[in-house]
Amino acid sequence: MTQKEFARRMGKTESEVSVWLSGQHNFTLRTLARISAVLGEDVVSVT
C-alpha cells in the first residue's frame, strides 16, 4: 500500500502521514486502533 493510499484510508492527508512516518509523533489509542484496522494487522503487542 502506498503512503497516499494509506492516508486516504485513514482519512488523513499525505503530509500528516509523512509526519507519522518521521518517528516523531505520539499516537492516541484511537489512532493506533484505526491504523490496525486499516492495515489488518496488530500494531501493538503486550507480552
Side-chain angles (χ1 to χ4, degrees):
M1 171 184 323
T2 65
Q3 182 174 322
K4 182 176 185 175
E5 177 65 13
F6 179 68
R8 186 188 67 76
R9 290 183 185 191
M10 289 293 298
K12 303 294 182 182
T13 64
E14 284 184 74
S15 60
E16 187 170 4
V17 170
S18 180
V19 170
W20 292 357
L21 295 174
S22 74
Q24 300 300 310
H25 182 80
N26 292 316
F27 294 100
T28 64
L29 290 176
R30 178 177 285 174
T31 300
L32 289 173
R34 180 73 179 133
I35 291 170
S36 181
V38 166
L39 295 177
E41 298 285 337
D42 291 337
V43 295
V44 175
S45 176
V46 179
T47 56

